Amino acid sequence: LMEVDILNRTGQYDVSLSVLNAALTAYQDSTDLRYSRAMVAEKLGNLEQLEQDLQHIINLEPDNATALNALGYTLADRSTRLDEAEALIEKALLIAPKDPAILDSLGWVYFRLGKLKESLELLQQAFAMFPDAEVAAHLGEVLWAMGDKQQAKNVWRKALEKTPESQILNNTLLRLEVEL
């Protein structure tokens, strides 16, 4: 896992995947290795592998809030399987009700479902606890969709001051054609 971490930090995801595949031949039920491979698969755009690994973890550990949230968020962000995403994330939130990553994920799935008020409430809670660029991207997008464009810009601007290289935040601004 330490080797994989170093490889991931240097963007060597293909090599990282090879290391994880080799390790999983010996330790096929290692949830740490499976989770790491799922995250590498996401970086490589292999959502099928991500889903298989996270589902394997959930089958072994049905109350693994991290795996439930990761799968739910991926489904919410990268597919139209929003009802399934919502169920997974809501289960994760029951297990870890104060986790800002899970609050962010549920806020994001609610946004994708058109539940803007509920989404805004959860994303504001998540951002208050963990004001990172990804939560800021989501919160700003909900504010933008609700017509509060100035507040959205304020959230994004503050996040960019801390993390100007944030891919998700910069992609959100490009997609929405926002100039700060």
Side-chain angles (χ1 to χ4, degrees):
L1 287 173
M2 288 172 45
E3 181 180 0
V4 166
D5 184 50
I6 292 167
L7 291 166
N8 289 344
R9 288 177 194 231
T10 58
Q12 298 178 65
Y13 301 116
D14 288 326
V15 179
S16 179
L17 184 61
S18 294
V19 170
L20 286 163
N21 286 338
L24 279 162
T25 60
Y27 306 100
Q28 65 182 358
D29 285 335
S30 168
T31 56
D32 290 338
L33 291 171
R34 288 255 179 205
Y35 188 83
S36 291
R37 186 169 70 177
M39 297 303 100
V40 170
E42 189 271 332
K43 294 285 187 199
L44 294 170
N46 187 345
L47 300 184
E48 185 178 326
Q49 182 67 62
L50 173 139
E51 185 172 355
Q52 286 175 5
D53 283 335
L54 292 176
Q55 195 59 59
H56 186 89
I57 293 168
I58 293 166
N59 290 340
L60 290 173
E61 300 174 5
D63 291 334
N64 186 316
T66 302
L68 289 162
N69 183 56
L71 181 54
Y73 177 78
T74 302
L75 293 176
D77 195 51
R78 304 253 186 114
S79 80
T80 56
R81 294 162 55 190
L82 300 178
D83 291 337
E84 187 179 348
E86 182 180 21
L88 289 162
I89 298 167
E90 285 179 343
K91 182 174 179 181
L93 190 62
L94 287 173
I95 297 163
K98 303 278 187 201
D99 187 321
I102 298 171
L103 291 170
D104 172 63
S105 296
L106 190 55
W108 190 240
V109 78
Y110 283 174
F111 170 71
R112 297 280 323 273
L113 288 166
K115 301 176 180 181
L116 298 183
K117 185 179 176 194
E118 296 91 337
S119 174
L120 179 63
E121 185 178 309
L122 289 170
L123 290 169
Q124 286 172 328
Q125 286 177 42
F127 192 68
M129 288 187 264
F130 190 66
D132 85 329
E134 186 168 355
V135 180
H138 294 158
L139 176 57
E141 188 158 350
V142 171
L143 289 164
W144 190 264
M146 294 177 83
D148 195 347
K149 296 188 187 299
Q150 190 56 52
Q151 185 59 28
K153 286 182 178 184
N154 291 342
V155 168
W156 290 327
R157 195 175 291 113
K158 287 178 186 174
L160 279 174
E161 287 172 7
K162 290 181 183 176
T163 320
E165 74 285 352
S166 168
Q167 187 175 3
I168 189 167
L169 189 49
N170 285 301
N171 287 346
T172 299
L173 296 174
L174 284 172
R175 184 171 36 80
L176 297 176
E177 300 177 352
V178 175
E179 289 187 35
L180 296 180

